[in-house]
Amino acid sequence: MSSLLSVRDLTKQFDDTVVLKGVSFEVLPGQMKVMMGSSGCGKSTLLRCINRLIEPTSGVIEFNGQAITGPDTDVLWLRQQIGFVFQQYALFRHLTVIENVSLALRKLRGVSRAEAKSKAEHELAKFGMIEHVDKYPAELSGGQQQRVAIARALAMDPQVLLMDEPTSALDPVKSREVSRLLSGLSEEGVTIICVTHDLTLAQHLSPVITFIHEGYVHASGSVKELSERTDDSVIANFFQRH
């Protein structure tokens, strides 16, 4: 099976600081790719490079066999294909739930207001949020905002969904809800790249974890295998802290 997304020797430098140091990996269609690592290791920067929120310094990213790091790439088109759910949700506070989810459909896809509303309601209903469509983000819990953010991304029918620390602001109960939600999406065939430091979430989502350290892929394996790597001080220190 051909890769849906291929990252090869990706680097990113901010002034004198090199954040990504030659990251390479492949993502197959329908795969759940889970990445872990300490804060500051480059995980979030990597996600932002993939859908061009940040410009990579060098390296190649291919989506469906097509290079997407060149200046001729249609970035708006790319972000419709590769959805992003931000760590802090990034909902528009002045818009209601239904407006948040339908906005991109109308502005980017040119869908009618009625059609966009119908599509938004369909996605929100999947996550039990239909009764909250007229509320504003400030009226929702963290878990509810997370579901709205995911519904907004899925409303665009992306081929890949990028998730940045989806449980970082949630209590254990809400974290389990998000875990079940992501598992359900994966079972439906949605391709997901999930960055997390949550060991429980990582273990639940994927049998193989990609471990990032100081801007490069340091190791891969199951949570159990990595946690037993006493010969590797980097991994051992990470698991001791978590």
Side-chain angles (χ1 to χ4, degrees):
M1 184 185 296
S2 299
S3 298
L4 179 60
L5 189 74
S6 176
V7 176
R8 295 197 301 275
D9 202 26
L10 192 72
T11 70
K12 178 59 186 177
Q13 182 169 346
F14 296 98
D15 298 324
D16 295 330
T17 304
V18 182
V19 180
L20 299 176
K21 304 172 183 175
V23 175
S24 299
F25 63 89
E26 310 280 331
V27 182
L28 298 174
Q31 183 179 1
M32 169 71 79
K33 186 85 170 178
V34 177
M35 297 186 162
M36 299 192 75
S38 301
S39 296
C41 72
K43 305 185 302 295
S44 295
T45 298
L46 174 59
L47 292 187
R48 283 163 170 74
C49 285
I50 289 173
N51 79 339
R52 298 283 297 278
L53 286 169
I54 294 175
E55 292 300 312
T57 301
S58 65
V60 176
I61 304 174
E62 289 186 348
F63 173 67
N64 268 332
Q66 175 184 346
I68 57 172
T69 42
D72 56 341
T73 298
D74 184 340
V75 174
L76 289 179
W77 168 84
L78 178 67
R79 291 175 187 161
Q80 293 178 54
Q81 308 305 312
I82 303 178
F84 203 123
V85 180
F86 295 87
Q87 184 173 350
Q88 299 301 326
Y89 320 131
L91 299 176
F92 294 108
R93 303 188 69 78
H94 66 290
L95 299 181
T96 63
V97 165
I98 195 73
E99 290 167 341
N100 262 286
V101 179
S102 61
L103 181 65
L105 285 166
R106 293 193 295 111
K107 297 296 185 182
L108 296 179
R109 291 272 173 89
V111 172
S112 70
R113 187 176 294 272
E115 189 178 346
K117 181 173 181 288
S118 176
K119 174 66 171 171
E121 288 175 340
H122 173 74
E123 295 299 336
L124 288 163
K126 288 182 185 177
F127 305 123
M129 291 299 295
I130 200 68
E131 64 193 64
H132 303 288
V133 292
D134 295 322
K135 292 182 179 178
Y136 290 89
E139 300 176 89
L140 304 176
S141 68
Q144 289 171 331
Q145 290 184 52
Q146 179 69 285
R147 281 180 269 172
V148 174
I150 297 172
R152 179 177 63 181
L154 291 176
M156 300 298 288
D157 294 320
Q159 293 193 52
V160 181
L161 186 61
L162 307 178
M163 303 284 300
D164 190 5
E165 298 285 4
T167 60
S168 64
L170 305 180
D171 61 40
V173 173
K174 296 299 182 186
S175 294
R176 286 195 293 273
E177 286 184 13
V178 170
S179 179
R180 287 194 294 269
L181 188 155
L182 294 182
S183 292
L185 292 176
S186 183
E187 289 169 5
E188 292 173 13
V190 178
T191 305
I192 300 173
I193 303 176
C194 178
V195 156
T196 184
H197 65 270
D198 185 334
L199 291 173
T200 303
L201 177 67
Q203 193 163 23
H204 182 77
L205 292 180
S206 177
V208 179
I209 310 302
T210 300
F211 189 85
I212 308 290
H213 175 64
E214 295 186 350
Y216 64 94
V217 176
H218 182 79
S220 63
S222 69
V223 169
K224 183 176 185 299
E225 288 169 346
L226 293 176
S227 67
E228 294 173 351
R229 287 276 298 273
T230 55
D231 61 321
D232 189 318
S233 61
V234 168
I235 295 176
N237 289 338
F238 175 83
F239 277 90
Q240 285 171 9
R241 292 196 306 272
H242 294 79

